[in-house]
Every structure is written in C-alpha cells, then in structure tokens.
Amino acid sequence: MRILLICTEKLPVPCIRGGAIQTYIDGILPYLSKFHDVSVFSVTDSDLPNQHVLNGVSYQRFPTGDSDAYYQAAAKFVAEEKFDLVILYNRPKYLPSIAAASPSSQFLLSMHNEMFHEEKIKPEVAETCLEKVRGVITVSKFIADGIADLFPDYRHKLNPVYAGVDLEQFQSRWSPEGSRRRQELLSSHGLTDRKIVVYVGRLSIKKGPHILISALPQILEQHPSTFLFIVGSKWYGHNEENKYVRQLKEQAKTYEESIYLTGFIPPANVQKYFLMGDIFVCASQWQEPLARVHYEAMATGLPMVTTMRGGNAEVVIPDMNGLLISDYENPDAFAEAINSLLSNKELAEKMGRYGRHLGDKYYGWERVASDISRIISDCCLS
C-alpha cells in the first residue's frame, strides 16, 4: 500500500528534538517501510531538508506555528499525491477536512493523548471523525476507554497498541556491554559509589519532579549516597526556563551534592542516564496516557516506581517489574518506595531483570509495527 503518516505540528520526524509521538513514528518506520511505500508529512526544522528520502521513506515538510495552515497543507498534499491509507496522529479534529480532500483514501487515527474531550473537539466533529476512520490505534487501554466512554457506538474501532523501545539502543545494565558502559559512565561522572535515582521527562508541574525532590531528604536520611538525576527541560529541543523550572532549581540548591538537573538532552544521549541508574521514577500527577519512559526504563533493566495515573500502571506488574504509588501527591510515598528498593538490592535486581525480559518479549518496535500492520490488514484490506 501507499501509506502517508501525518505527524503532529509541534516537533519534527525524525525525532531530533525528542517527543513521544515522534519517537513512536521513528520506531515503527523501519518495519512499515519494508512492506509498504511510506511517506511522512512533518514540520520543517533548521537541521532537516524540506523534502528528502531517508532509509526508503519520503519526507515532506511544512512550517509549524499555525496549526490550521499546517493541516490545510497536509490536506492539499493528500489530495495531490493520492495515498491508499493515511494515518493521522493525535489530531482528530482535522481528520474530516483531510479525508474530504482525498475521498478515495482510507484513514486510521493514532491517538496518544485525550483529544476527544469537548474542549479539544466538538462532539459532532468527533463523531464525523470516528465514522470516517477504519480504526483507531491508542497507546493505552486508558486512552481507548476514554474514547469509548464518550462515544460508545465506536468502541469496536478502538485498538490499544502499547508502544515500544529500541532494544539495541537501550542496552540492559545487566548485559556485558551495558555493564561495562555503565561503569565507565559512573566513573566519568564521579558517581561510582553512589546509588542513582533517575527521572526522565519534561519539567512540568503535571510531571511531578518537584514531588520527587521533596522526597529526597527522607531518601538521603536512610541512604546518604543517593544521587538524583532530573533529566529533561521545560520543552523539547531547548532549555528555555519558566517560573516552575526556576523554582525547581531553587528547590534543588539545598541538595546540590545529591542532585543534578541536566536540562535538555538530545534523544540519542538519554540512554546513558538510564544506564547509570539504579531506580527509575515517574512522578506523574496528571492522567498520563502512558509515558514511553517506562519502556526505556524496562529495556535498561531498571526497577520502576510510578504513579497510578492514567495508563502508566498498565505496564507495571507490582513487585515484579516495579512499584505503584496511589498517593501520588505525597513525597513520603515516593521516599518509602525508593527507600524500599535501595534497601533491598536483590529485589531491585529481580525487578530490573524481569523488566528487561518483558521488554524483549513485548515492547520492541518490531512488535508495535506488527500490531499496526495487523490493524491495517484487518481494517483496510478486508
């Protein structure tokens, strides 16, 4: 089939600036392009040509900044090029206009956030969208259930497909090469004798890094050698600060020997922070769709501590690959969970190894692409 992926208007693909959706698309492209003629419509970037072919995938770019103009350009491109299948990412309100531009094309929707609430899309537009698409792929059962609750007549079109991780890029800390690199990284950072807790995500109040920093005194009381990496920035691709980021930095000053805020880290370099870690923590305060960092932590062999918010808990088997926190606003709950893992090295290692086992079995990009290919076959070729 001739397939077009229409990416969101925020960040480019390939994911040189980061982004969960962009990483997802990058992950599945090598596999989809083996069997289909794949094109990508994405935003312009100063480090990328406006038109090019990379690894057999054709890229067409349009400037970001005006969402309506971006999706009008996408509709024009679809109309001119005539694709068999168009997969639109995370912007259901634009699907009817794009579909109208190419009535001979079939459409799938790939949903990564709660975009079907009335403040995001008018109910009548949502129904038109769901009527038109052959199927909806969602990154978690949480997202699928949210759509089904609002529009139960379309439940049969919803297909939860868990995302994945590059299992070669994110090496296990237990593998010979991963262990060697881990020791090199710890030594180069002067952290050989420290216990490393890792947070990876945007610096946003809804992501909760302030809760984690607030838990640090109790963690240091029991485990004085603990070191906390806060990996990320306010927004992808740069280190612009806002009031919240400045507050985080001020909060961290009290523990400057035990915490480091890295700022933005290019996607290709994030893996080394996971590799240095002993524990991964996701402190989400919002109903998160299902943060991809969980897959990256599992691939690296880290036990996880995450909140029971949104879809995050769907990839955690309590006491097997991680711990779940229901009292997500309470720093004491994080301190208790982290201290329990730091105090029980055997249990932490068991969780980490099982996480990598799950990654190998379920969370590689090849499996994700295979699931999507099955949906394409069931929905669009039947």
Side-chain angles (χ1 to χ4, degrees):
M1 296 181 75
R2 191 162 187 237
I3 299 176
L4 175 67
L5 312 185
I6 301 180
C7 311
T8 54
E9 73 284 7
K10 299 294 186 182
L11 295 163
V13 176
C15 63
I16 59 172
R17 310 296 176 200
I21 297 173
Q22 292 71 23
T23 301
Y24 182 101
I25 295 171
D26 265 3
I28 64 174
L29 277 175
Y31 302 99
L32 286 184
S33 61
K34 286 181 181 179
F35 306 103
H36 302 283
D37 178 3
V38 180
S39 297
V40 172
F41 190 90
S42 182
V43 297
T44 55
D45 187 275
S46 59
D47 290 337
L48 295 169
N50 288 346
Q51 292 179 320
H52 64 125
V53 176
L54 178 65
N55 298 325
V57 177
S58 177
Y59 291 84
Q60 177 75 30
R61 305 188 185 282
F62 188 84
T64 187
D66 183 331
S67 297
D68 290 342
Y70 176 80
Y71 288 100
Q72 287 169 11
K76 183 173 183 291
F77 184 67
V78 169
E80 292 173 349
E81 293 294 325
K82 303 296 183 185
F83 293 93
D84 299 310
L85 172 66
V86 177
I87 304 178
L88 178 65
Y89 284 83
N90 218 41
R91 296 293 185 267
K93 74 175 184 178
Y94 291 107
L95 190 138
S97 61
I98 295 173
S102 184
S104 63
S105 300
Q106 299 187 79
F107 287 83
L108 291 175
L109 189 61
S110 184
M111 294 305 304
H112 300 249
N113 294 91
E114 294 184 282
M115 303 297 289
F116 272 91
H117 289 297
E118 196 165 354
E119 65 270 18
K120 298 286 187 180
I121 186 172
K122 294 178 180 178
E124 60 270 23
V125 177
E127 291 216 31
T128 300
C129 168
L130 291 168
E131 188 66 35
K132 178 62 184 176
V133 298
R134 301 300 299 269
V136 181
I137 301 164
T138 69
V139 294
S140 62
K141 188 174 181 294
F142 168 75
I143 293 295
D145 288 346
I147 298 171
D149 289 345
L150 293 168
F151 302 98
D153 290 347
Y154 299 97
R155 185 183 294 273
H156 64 286
K157 290 190 175 185
L158 301 173
N159 302 273
V161 174
Y162 292 115
V165 60
D166 186 329
L167 293 165
E168 293 184 6
Q169 178 189 5
F170 284 82
Q171 295 175 315
S172 167
R173 65 189 293 240
W174 309 112
S175 69
E177 176 62 16
S179 178
R180 182 192 64 78
R181 285 193 61 231
R182 170 179 160 79
Q183 294 308 314
E184 287 181 355
L185 288 165
L186 289 172
S187 178
S188 67
H189 285 76
L191 297 171
T192 300
D193 297 321
R194 308 294 290 268
K195 296 179 178 180
I196 312 297
V197 177
V198 181
Y199 163 97
V200 181
R202 287 190 293 110
L203 302 186
S204 161
I205 193 167
K206 69 181 185 179
K207 290 283 191 175
H210 60 288
I211 304 288
L212 189 51
I213 297 175
S214 294
L216 195 53
Q218 291 185 64
I219 299 169
L220 292 171
E221 184 177 344
Q222 287 193 32
H223 302 279
S225 68
T226 301
F227 190 89
L228 172 61
F229 273 119
I230 302 285
V231 181
S233 58
K234 169 182 168 287
W235 186 247
Y236 306 103
H238 58 75
N239 283 309
E240 178 184 327
E241 294 184 1
N242 59 4
K243 182 180 178 181
Y244 178 74
V245 174
R246 291 190 289 272
Q247 288 175 341
L248 279 182
K249 289 187 172 182
E250 189 64 30
Q251 185 184 10
K253 281 183 180 179
T254 307
Y255 317 104
E256 57 185 11
E257 298 299 318
S258 300
I259 187 172
Y260 181 64
L261 280 71
T262 68
F264 172 73
I265 300 296
N269 296 334
V270 169
Q271 193 268 346
K272 70 179 185 180
Y273 291 95
F274 281 100
L275 198 53
M276 284 190 283
D278 292 294
I279 298 170
F280 167 76
V281 182
C282 174
S284 281
Q285 301 294 292
W286 68 305
Q287 294 282 47
E288 185 139 32
L290 200 171
R292 67 179 169 81
V293 285
H294 293 85
Y295 304 110
E296 295 169 351
M298 279 192 281
T300 314
L302 296 182
M304 300 183 292
V305 174
T306 194
T307 58
M308 295 179 68
R309 300 292 284 161
N312 287 343
E314 293 179 35
V315 294
V316 176
I317 304 172
D319 298 320
M320 292 295 290
N321 67 332
L323 301 175
L324 293 172
I325 293 180
S326 57
D327 193 8
Y328 58 90
E329 295 178 306
N330 185 359
D332 294 352
F334 286 92
E336 180 180 355
I338 292 167
N339 278 331
S340 69
L341 290 174
L342 291 176
S343 297
N344 193 333
K345 186 177 179 180
E346 184 177 320
L347 175 62
E349 178 175 339
K350 177 183 175 183
M351 287 184 178
R353 288 184 182 274
Y354 190 67
R356 176 66 196 202
H357 164 74
L358 293 174
D360 287 334
K361 190 171 182 178
Y362 298 114
Y363 299 126
W365 286 121
E366 185 172 8
R367 190 276 305 160
V368 181
S370 175
D371 285 354
I372 293 171
S373 294
R374 175 185 51 78
I375 292 166
I376 290 172
S377 179
D378 290 348
C379 295
C380 304
L381 296 178
S382 57

